[in-house]
Amino acid sequence: MLLAWRSLPWPLIHDVALMHYVAWRIADGAVPYRDLFDMNQPGTYLVHLAVLRTLGGGDLAWRVFDLAWLAATAGVIAVFAMPWGRVAAAAGALVFVTYHLAGGAWQAGQRDFLLCLFLLLGALGVARWLERGGVRSLLWSGAVLGAGITVKPHAALFAGALAAVVAVAAARACGLATAAGATAVFVAAAAVAPLVVLGWLAAVGGLAAWRDVVTGYLIPLYARLGRTSSWSVYRWHAWIPIALGVLVSLAGAARRRGVGARHLVAALGLAYGLAHYVVQGKGWEYHLYPLAAFAAVLVAAELPAALAARRRL
């Protein structure tokens, strides 16, 4: 709470200010990508546009939004970890909240931070489907991952990995026909938000310009862009206890043969988070957010079991 309170004076800075400006121009009638050149994806502008229309464009409005998004993300972490115990749920949420607020104003509202909520919800939906079955979990998990893809297309890699999990699990449980149907439901749900956003771009006259930016600028640029010469992890000292906590949790679950669907899905999220950071090749701190989110899920997963074992001694 103290960190959140002390963050209230943070200004709207860094990449967020640029995207706020683009959203402001869109609100005034400018066509994205045609009247405004930028390589960020349209879902990001829609988030900023929603903030401008509901909370306003000031620094405090963005702080309110950032803290609300942080609370929602921490809440999903807690829900994901709740089957392992309330201590695990609370600790995981607290780790992520602290990680974000300790990063400073330049981390507020970054796209990779926004993406975490979509990734975690998608992972939660697939984990629930693995535990309970039912098509609804696949529908809403696919839908939120699709929304995440409109913010940062890298999320498609995680969506594809989860689709593979759905296919394999359904095939083992019910056969290939059921696997094909379940996977199709998940993939179709994930396609909804991107198609809706592309439809919006077409309706406002920006689709052709968006395609030109992606194929004529973004992809060629990053195809030949050099990678960082020396890899570094900002706030590396913070990652030591986080990494140790994750390793201890996974080892403890494996030792007591307690690895379940949520462990597996969260571990897949960890792998995606690492790929998300490495593939982008820039070494920027906010690219670590997906890794931090899934690490927060797992960091205290075995803490309730450890405390229970200690009480029995």
Side-chain angles (χ1 to χ4, degrees), residues 50-58 61-62 64-65:
V51 174
L52 286 171
R53 288 180 171 174
T54 56
L55 300 175
W62 190 250
V64 170
F65 167 74

Side-chain angles (χ1 to χ4, degrees), residues 187-208:
V187 172
V192 171
L195 290 175
V196 168
V197 170
L198 290 178
W200 168 71
L201 280 177
V204 299
L207 183 59

Side-chain angles (χ1 to χ4, degrees), residues 175-189:
L176 292 178
T178 300
T183 307
V185 166
F186 181 77
V187 172

Side-chain angles (χ1 to χ4, degrees), residues 60-208:
L60 182 58
W62 190 250
R63 289 306 309 128
V64 170
F65 167 74
D66 180 71
L67 290 172
W69 199 274
L70 176 61
T73 306
V76 176
I77 289 173
V79 171
F80 198 110
M82 187 60 74
W84 301 324
R86 292 183 179 180
V87 173
L94 183 60
V95 165
F96 188 75
V97 168
T98 304
Y99 178 86
H100 178 63
L101 293 176
W106 84 302
Q107 302 280 59
Q110 284 285 0
R111 291 149 294 169
D112 303 74
F113 164 65
L114 299 179
L115 183 62
C116 289
L117 180 59
F118 300 112
L119 297 174
L120 288 163
L121 281 170
L124 176 62
V126 171
R128 283 186 171 178
W129 175 80
L130 289 169
E131 293 167 343
R132 310 172 188 175
V135 72
R136 288 185 180 179
S137 294
L138 291 181
L139 283 171
W140 63 259
S141 62
V144 294
L145 283 168
I149 290 170
T150 71
V151 172
K152 203 142 189 182
H154 305 73
L157 178 62
F158 188 52
L162 289 178
V165 169
V166 170
V168 171
R172 287 182 174 179
C174 304
L176 292 178
T178 300
T183 307
V185 166
F186 181 77
V187 172
V192 171
L195 290 175
V196 168
V197 170
L198 290 178
W200 168 71
L201 280 177
V204 299
L207 183 59

